[in-house]
Amino acid sequence: MKKVIPVLIAIVLIFIVASVAFGAKIMEKYSYSKERADLEEYFEITGADDVPIILQDERIEEHAKIWDNVCYFDFDTVQKYFNDRFYEDKIEKLLIYTTPYTIIRTEIGSSVFQSSVDEYDDIGYIISRYEGDILYVAADFVKQYANFSYELFTEPYHMQVYTQWDERIVADIDKDTQVRYQGGIKSDILTDVSMGDTVIILEEMETWTKVKTKDSYIGYVENKRLTDKRSEQPAAVTDYVEPEYVSISKDYKINLAWHAVYDLGGNDTLTGLLANTKGVNTISPTWFVLTGNEGNFTSLASKDYVNTAHNMGLEVWALISNISETESIDMYTLLSQTSTRTKLIDNLINTALEYDLDGLNIDFENISTDAGEGFIEFIRELSIQCRANGIILSVDNYVPMGYNNHYHRKEQGVVADYVIIMGYDEHHGNSEEAGSVASIDYVEKGIAKTTEEVPADKVINAVPFYTRIWETKGSTLSSQAVGMGMAAEYVENHHMEIRWDETTCQNYGEYQSGDSFIQVWLEDDESIQVKLSIMDKYNIAGVASWRLGLEKASVWDIIEEYLNK
């Protein structure tokens, strides 16, 4: 018996130990973790001045900075989320913002900004500053030109930003609990919430709900801790009123003809070239060509020409080009510097006023991607002076393609009066294959894509009055551009068989001459008529043509019919 007792005791002890161990495992399995998340790791904080951003209900990859108790966004963040009209002059170290009527500028690193020609304001904090090569702009300064709200939290720094104020679902916490990194009692604790706190419901699951707390922690709470679920409409911020860009809009369809003027004697050809036209109401002489990178240009302007055009009932929208046969223009240097942009704009406006011009036509081609921001800033700033002086501003553009998005057509459609599509050069002198200058699909694509970004009543589509005669000789391809009359003569003289091509909506011809294969896609009355029908379909502002003198007289009957619809 004495031997049995120790054995029983040992068995009981083993049972007790096993029970404790089992209970511990059960408790471990069903108990709530008390581990707290590393918040700097959670927010991906990189330094003491780093401020993660929660935009709406998501933490975004962009971070703000805090210096001297002032919150700053990097320039790319400002343009992406708040207002892309801010412009950084990297050369002259200026931050610029344009309105319809004035240019607001500040030297980077200064607390002073110029709000008009003679008015300066000291805002009391550094408005913009560089950190390395990155420009940062004070959030409070940005708020003067965009509707958004922000709230800054500490320990650690993070900020909540709202740019939209949609209706949302909220709920109250019915008992002190924790918000966890993930759904599950073993997940690390992000923050504590108290009974009565309100949270925003982001996503509901079977037993856990993704929420955002009042101090913008995004994590998970057990469903059983949520009560009084309801919808809530937050109050929108409307401190900033978007300015109205008033444009000049004609109450008739524009019929613009470009007049190629290459010397002073070219001005004398106006009357003769217009003699057989019909319905032309706007003439655009190619008078101005940029010289150098300082804001200067050559001019072939003539007061007699303008008076003649006005007496014929025509408006004169003089063209300025960046294509020079004598020198190379660095468009980045010219357009990116505020001083050279300003000089060019002042020269243009003074010349327009001197010669009583009705408008300016900006034809800057082959703009490099890095010059795109300077280009659209130039258009914004030029539009201010054009608006103030009643001068029509039109801008020439390529058919929209991915590689020319930096022309910022949408912004042009806001600040300029007319946006002109150069609906030609689908195949040009440097093309690697022969083809149409302006097939109907190419033309319609240009109009359709442009009117997705620009109001139709500001869009003008330009048609070509020229055809390319293509010659393929072995592996060599060459072409020459000829007017409508010369193209028709070429076809007749070479006895080319012409047939209508439904794909391009043009008359097509070809023939073999020795080892040369000749092809033409004709621009003629029929092709122009189809293009005009597409323009009518999209109800755009009118037609332009390159160029006066290359057309057959009969094409004007077709254009006049389009104008009168």
Side-chain angles (χ1 to χ4, degrees):
M1 186 68 180
K2 291 181 178 179
K3 293 181 178 180
V4 173
I5 292 174
V7 172
L8 290 173
I9 292 172
I11 292 172
V12 171
L13 289 173
I14 291 170
F15 177 78
I16 292 171
V17 170
S19 298
V20 170
F22 179 75
K25 287 184 179 180
I26 294 297
M27 289 182 64
E28 181 182 356
K29 181 178 180 180
Y30 292 103
S31 64
Y32 289 70
S33 170
K34 296 181 180 180
E35 290 294 321
R36 304 191 77 86
D38 183 331
L39 295 180
E40 292 197 359
E41 182 178 329
Y42 165 72
F43 281 119
E44 298 179 350
I45 293 173
T46 59
D49 56 6
D50 195 40
V51 183
I53 300 172
I54 297 89
L55 177 63
Q56 306 304 120
D57 298 323
E58 292 185 8
R59 184 156 49 87
I60 60 176
E61 62 180 352
E62 295 86 358
H63 286 206
K65 296 289 185 182
I66 187 162
W67 294 299
D68 300 324
N69 296 316
V70 177
C71 215
Y72 292 84
F73 298 118
D74 68 76
F75 187 72
D76 288 344
T77 297
V78 171
Q79 286 204 313
K80 181 177 179 180
Y81 295 110
F82 305 119
N83 194 323
D84 61 4
R85 288 205 180 103
F86 283 96
Y87 178 75
E88 175 191 4
D89 184 334
K90 297 179 181 179
I91 299 173
E92 298 178 356
K93 302 296 186 292
L94 296 171
L95 175 68
I96 292 172
Y97 183 79
T98 56
T99 75
Y101 303 104
T102 190
I103 301 172
I104 296 158
R105 68 183 71 185
T106 175
E107 293 183 6
I108 294 171
S110 172
S111 63
V112 176
F113 70 96
Q114 183 180 2
S115 54
S116 63
V117 175
D118 298 314
E119 188 173 343
Y120 294 83
D121 297 296
D122 192 326
I123 209 165
Y125 54 81
I126 300 300
I127 295 170
S128 59
R129 55 187 289 175
Y130 279 115
E131 182 74 6
D133 294 330
I134 300 175
L135 176 64
Y136 287 86
V137 185
D140 286 340
F141 187 74
V142 177
K143 270 180 64 64
Q144 295 187 34
Y145 310 103
N147 280 324
F148 69 94
S149 63
Y150 79 88
E151 186 174 3
L152 183 66
F153 304 104
T154 58
E155 298 180 2
Y157 277 126
H158 60 286
M159 71 186 304
Q160 172 68 58
V161 175
Y162 285 107
T163 58
Q164 300 175 43
W165 296 270
D166 300 325
E167 188 177 37
R168 60 197 183 191
I169 303 300
V170 300
D172 294 333
I173 300 296
D174 72 350
K175 182 180 179 181
D176 293 357
T177 189
Q178 294 81 35
V179 176
R180 296 182 179 272
Y181 178 63
Q182 293 178 325
I185 61 176
K186 295 304 180 185
S187 183
D188 290 350
I189 299 168
L190 286 177
T191 188
D192 299 299
V193 285
S194 302
M195 183 176 68
D197 285 350
T198 299
V199 294
I200 298 171
I201 305 297
L202 302 181
E203 181 183 355
E204 295 182 83
M205 293 167 286
E206 187 175 352
T207 57
W208 291 80
T209 293
K210 187 178 182 181
V211 302
K212 186 174 72 174
T213 66
K214 61 184 178 182
D215 49 0
S216 294
Y217 285 89
I218 298 174
Y220 293 82
V221 169
E222 287 182 284
N223 292 347
K224 65 184 181 181
R225 296 293 171 238
L226 298 173
T227 186
D228 192 18
K229 195 182 301 180
R230 60 197 182 275
S231 64
E232 177 182 270
Q233 178 62 58
V237 172
T238 56
D239 300 335
Y240 172 72
V241 178
E242 183 72 24
E244 181 182 2
Y245 284 80
V246 178
S247 298
I248 299 174
S249 180
K250 298 299 180 179
D251 59 0
Y252 52 81
K253 285 181 181 176
I254 301 296
N255 182 14
L256 179 148
W258 279 296
H259 180 197
V261 179
Y262 299 121
D263 54 42
L264 287 172
N267 288 320
D268 299 332
T269 65
L270 175 65
T271 304
L273 288 173
L274 287 172
N276 294 318
T277 65
K278 293 181 180 179
V280 174
N281 48 44
T282 308
I283 193 76
S284 180
T286 60
W287 276 344
F288 310 132
V289 179
L290 292 176
T291 58
N293 308 318
E294 302 300 322
N296 299 313
F297 53 85
T298 59
S299 173
L300 296 172
S302 161
K303 286 187 177 180
D304 288 342
Y305 182 107
V306 175
N307 290 335
T308 299
H310 284 171
N311 289 335
M312 298 173 72
L314 305 178
E315 290 201 342
V316 181
W317 299 2
L319 177 147
I320 179 166
S321 170
N322 64 332
I323 300 174
S324 171
E325 295 182 358
T326 59
E327 58 185 297
S328 176
I329 310 298
D330 184 344
M331 297 303 288
Y332 176 84
T333 298
L334 172 63
L335 299 177
S336 298
Q337 293 186 100
T338 301
S339 59
T340 52
R341 279 197 319 277
T342 301
K343 181 177 180 181
L344 175 57
I345 290 168
D346 288 345
N347 286 344
L348 281 171
I349 295 298
N350 289 337
T351 302
L353 295 175
E354 178 184 354
Y355 288 92
D356 194 24
L357 301 180
D358 305 283
L360 292 169
N361 177 232
I362 309 304
D363 184 40
F364 289 170
E365 301 186 26
N366 300 316
I367 296 287
S368 59
T369 302
D370 64 348
E373 290 300 316
F375 169 73
I376 195 60
E377 182 61 21
F378 165 74
I379 298 299
R380 289 191 194 106
E381 294 175 3
L382 176 59
S383 79
I384 294 172
Q385 291 212 41
C386 284
R387 197 171 292 111
N389 289 283
I391 298 168
I392 294 170
L393 174 60
S394 62
V395 188
D396 300 338
N397 288 265
Y398 300 111
V399 166
M401 302 284 182
Y403 65 83
N404 57 43
N405 285 340
H406 59 283
Y407 273 72
H408 299 278
R409 285 174 294 273
K410 184 176 181 180
E411 183 73 346
Q412 287 184 41
V414 175
V415 303
D417 299 302
Y418 291 100
V419 174
I420 301 178
I421 311 165
M422 297 182 290
Y424 40 76
D425 277 350
E426 179 181 3
H427 294 85
H428 48 81
N430 293 321
S431 291
E432 296 180 357
E433 63 178 8
S436 167
V437 166
S439 69
I440 197 60
D441 286 348
Y442 182 78
V443 171
E444 182 162 14
K445 178 182 177 181
I447 297 172
K449 286 191 170 291
T450 301
T451 53
E452 287 175 3
E453 299 180 295
V454 180
D457 61 1
K458 284 191 170 190
V459 175
I460 298 170
N461 184 69
V463 298
F465 282 166
Y466 64 92
T467 291
R468 283 197 172 273
I469 301 172
W470 297 91
E471 179 181 6
T472 303
K473 192 172 185 178
S475 59
T476 302
L477 176 68
S478 61
S479 69
Q480 57 175 319
V482 299
M484 288 181 171
M486 187 175 292
E489 289 179 11
Y490 186 91
V491 167
E492 182 179 355
N493 292 340
H494 292 83
H495 308 291
M496 294 178 68
E497 183 179 340
I498 297 299
R499 61 176 175 80
W500 181 255
D501 176 27
E502 285 291 345
T503 301
T504 60
C505 286
Q506 290 174 295
N507 284 306
Y508 171 78
E510 64 182 42
Y511 78 97
Q512 190 76 37
S513 176
D515 57 355
S516 294
F517 180 54
I518 311 299
Q519 295 172 282
V520 292
W521 286 262
L522 292 173
E523 289 296 350
D524 54 21
D525 292 359
E526 291 175 278
S527 69
I528 296 298
Q529 187 165 39
V530 179
K531 291 175 176 59
L532 291 170
S533 70
I534 294 297
M535 294 158 62
D536 191 49
K537 169 184 170 182
Y538 286 87
N539 196 29
I540 61 174
V543 60
S545 50
W546 179 263
R547 63 179 168 83
L548 195 62
L550 294 181
E551 78 282 9
K552 293 172 67 175
S554 56
V555 79
W556 294 111
D557 293 320
I558 297 164
I559 293 176
E560 187 177 43
E561 182 182 349
Y562 159 75
L563 296 173
N564 292 332
K565 281 188 178 180

